[in-house]
């Protein structure tokens, strides 16, 4: 009996592996000049001819919408049809959080229009945070993931003695996103706390919180005295606490140091004995430069599962040393998704 055939292919016998005549493979070209762009999908020794241009744009858009914003930008360079699909509202509307209209309804007149093209709206919210809640908070998107980011303004923070001009004063700065920032004149008890409703955050996301600040040329008291920071749910388990230094350039070694100490309306100097040996360096304990010209120090992290009620509290305290300190300018506390390395 002759060998059986199936769909035009002949099965052979013997010890040699099955051989299938391969058709000439097409290669998918990554230039815009190839209007016919197509390609082949190879599985083992079999190549299936596939002209990507024959796929409906909606089908391509659906696939791209399951990726990430950076992936969509890269895929737009594959071909003209891919570019059209990758830049469509069908793709970028999936990258936008569903409650964008609600957030923008609490913003000012300069906020982006929800009726804009989805990609334009996405990029605008990534690069230009909008003020919400009467200017007490800013809202933006993380450009790599589309997750929501917030900054709580200094005016919305709980700062001990913030309304006492001898200790704190409120000023305006042109590079701040808020109308006012808090400048520390001098205190021996630094207590800064911020809260945010966790329902505002993106679900299934690891968030990190940061104090955003600057130091004046006359800043003092932060070089050798660490602050204690934490992030945790109000009424929840005791948050993990860690120590940080709010001075960007010093504090990495211990030594004998004369630090000005302000007592009442007079200033005194006090010698603080320190052991002259280097500390173990942890980069997360020291401020880092931001692209907007400010500094930030990490307070901690929180995983938002989604669908929960509660408030996230973020603290920055220096209440144990008793040394006077001043020259800090606080813009706010920012909460944003942890970026994958």
């Amino acid at each position: 009996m002759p060998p059986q055939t199936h769909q035009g292919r002949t099965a052979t016998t013997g010890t040699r592996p099955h051989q299938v005549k391969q058709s000439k493979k097409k290669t998918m070209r990554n230039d815009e000049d190839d209007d016919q762009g197509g390609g082949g999908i190879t599985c083992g020794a079999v190549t299936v001819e596939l002209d990507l241009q024959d796929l409906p744009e909606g089908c391509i858009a659906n696939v791209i919408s399951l990726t990430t914003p950076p992936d969509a930008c890269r895929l737009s360079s594959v071909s003209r049809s891919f570019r059209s699909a990758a830049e469509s509202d069908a793709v970028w509307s999936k990258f936008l959080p569903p409650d964008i209209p609600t957030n923008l309804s609490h913003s000012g007149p300069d906020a982006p229009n929800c009726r804009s093209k989805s990609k334009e709206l996405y990029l605008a919210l990534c690069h230009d945070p909008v003020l919400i809640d009467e200017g007490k908070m800013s809202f933006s998107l993380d450009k790599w993931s589309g997750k929501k980011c917030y900054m709580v303004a200094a005016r919305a923070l709980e700062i001990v003695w913030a309304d006492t001009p001898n200790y704190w004063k409120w000023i305006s700065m042109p590079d701040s996103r808020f109308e006012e920032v808090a400048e520390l004149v001098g205190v021996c008890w630094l207590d800064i706390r911020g809260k945010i409703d966790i329902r505002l955050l993106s679900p299934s996301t690891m968030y990190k919180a940061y104090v955003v600040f600057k130091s004046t040329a006359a800043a003092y008291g932060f070089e050798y005295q660490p602050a204690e920071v934490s992030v945790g749910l109000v009424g929840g388990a005791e948050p993990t606490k860690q120590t940080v230094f709010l001075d960007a350039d010093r504090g990495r070694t211990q030594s004998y140091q004369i630090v000005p100490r302000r007592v009442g309306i007079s200033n005194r100097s006090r010698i603080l004995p320190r052991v002259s040996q280097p500390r173990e360096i942890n980069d997360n304990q020291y401020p880092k430069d931001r692209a907007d010209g400010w500094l930030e120090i990490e307070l901690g992290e929180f995983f938002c599962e989604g669908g929960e009620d509660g408030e996230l509290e973020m603290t920055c305290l220096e209440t144990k040393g008793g040394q006077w300190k001043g020259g800090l300018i606080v813009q706010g506390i920012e909460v944003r998704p942890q970026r994958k390395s």
Side-chain angles (χ1 to χ4, degrees):
M1 177 180 295
Q4 295 182 353
T5 61
H6 179 64
Q7 294 183 351
R9 290 186 295 180
T10 302
T12 60
T13 58
T15 58
R16 297 182 61 184
H18 296 288
Q19 295 180 345
V20 179
K21 183 178 181 180
Q22 299 185 37
S23 60
K24 184 178 180 180
K25 298 181 182 179
K26 290 184 180 180
T27 58
M28 184 171 63
R29 300 183 56 188
N30 291 338
D31 58 72
E32 298 179 3
D33 294 333
D34 184 10
D35 291 336
Q36 302 298 321
I41 298 178
T42 301
C43 180
V46 178
T47 298
V48 178
E49 294 297 334
L50 176 63
D51 188 348
L52 297 179
Q53 303 301 316
D54 290 340
L55 292 176
E57 182 178 309
C59 179
I60 299 175
N62 284 337
V63 173
I64 296 177
S65 70
L66 299 176
T67 63
T68 65
D71 289 333
C73 292
R74 285 189 285 266
L75 288 169
S76 67
S77 65
V78 171
S79 67
R80 289 182 178 178
S81 62
F82 265 60
R83 169 173 292 182
S84 178
E87 296 186 352
S88 68
D89 281 350
V91 170
W92 289 89
S93 62
K94 296 292 183 65
F95 297 149
L96 290 168
D99 58 352
I100 283 290
T102 302
N103 280 334
L104 295 185
S105 68
H106 298 289
S107 62
D110 296 333
N113 193 328
C114 287
R115 298 179 180 178
S116 303
K117 284 186 174 296
S118 296
K119 184 178 181 181
E120 293 176 359
L121 178 59
Y122 182 95
L123 295 177
L125 291 173
C126 289
H127 298 295
D128 297 309
V130 298
L131 298 183
I132 59 176
D133 291 349
E134 300 179 345
K136 295 180 180 178
M137 184 183 293
S138 72
F139 165 72
S140 61
L141 296 179
D142 176 66
K143 68 179 181 179
W144 301 103
S145 64
K147 305 285 188 177
K148 292 181 285 186
C149 310
Y150 295 91
M151 186 187 293
V152 183
R155 268 297 185 189
L157 300 176
E158 299 174 12
I159 303 176
V160 173
W161 296 327
D163 293 321
T164 305
N166 287 339
Y167 302 131
W168 290 86
K169 64 180 179 179
W170 295 93
I171 62 174
S172 297
M173 296 190 69
D175 56 352
S176 170
R177 65 184 66 174
F178 304 109
E179 290 186 2
E180 291 182 303
V181 295
E183 181 178 351
L184 175 60
V185 178
V187 295
C188 62
W189 184 284
L190 182 69
D191 190 322
I192 303 174
R193 301 171 187 266
K195 295 178 182 178
I196 187 171
D197 190 332
I198 62 173
R199 291 176 298 179
L200 296 175
L201 306 179
S202 297
S204 303
T205 303
M206 178 65 77
Y207 275 91
K208 293 200 172 204
Y210 304 83
V211 169
V212 180
F213 70 99
K214 283 186 176 184
S215 296
T216 67
Y220 68 93
F222 296 104
E223 301 92 334
Y224 304 96
Q225 189 62 45
E228 186 178 79
V229 298
S230 67
V231 172
L233 286 175
V234 176
E238 183 71 17
T240 300
K241 299 177 181 179
Q242 56 187 359
T243 58
V244 299
F245 292 89
L246 296 175
D247 184 273
D249 301 318
R250 291 167 242 169
R252 295 176 185 261
T253 59
Q254 299 176 349
S255 62
Y256 286 89
Q257 178 71 15
I258 299 178
V259 179
R261 181 179 183 182
R262 177 175 171 147
V263 180
I265 60 174
S266 62
N267 290 330
R268 298 179 183 176
S269 293
R270 178 184 177 190
I271 298 180
L272 304 176
R274 304 290 181 191
V275 180
S276 181
Q277 63 181 20
R279 286 192 181 97
E280 182 180 351
I281 296 177
N282 180 349
D283 286 341
N284 290 332
Q285 287 185 290
Y286 299 94
K288 293 181 173 58
D289 294 321
R290 292 167 52 97
D292 57 9
W294 290 74
L295 297 170
E296 66 180 22
I297 188 75
E298 183 181 326
L299 303 181
E301 60 186 27
F302 169 76
F303 183 77
C304 179
E305 295 183 359
E308 299 174 302
D309 294 335
E311 282 188 307
L312 188 68
E313 183 176 45
M314 305 148 286
T315 66
C316 180
L317 314 173
E318 200 294 282
T319 59
K320 298 178 180 179
Q323 286 78 38
W324 282 78
K325 55 196 73 67
L328 206 68
I329 301 175
V330 179
Q331 181 177 186
I333 294 181
E334 185 174 55
V335 182
R336 67 174 187 260
Q338 179 181 16
R339 187 162 296 172
K340 296 180 180 179
S341 57

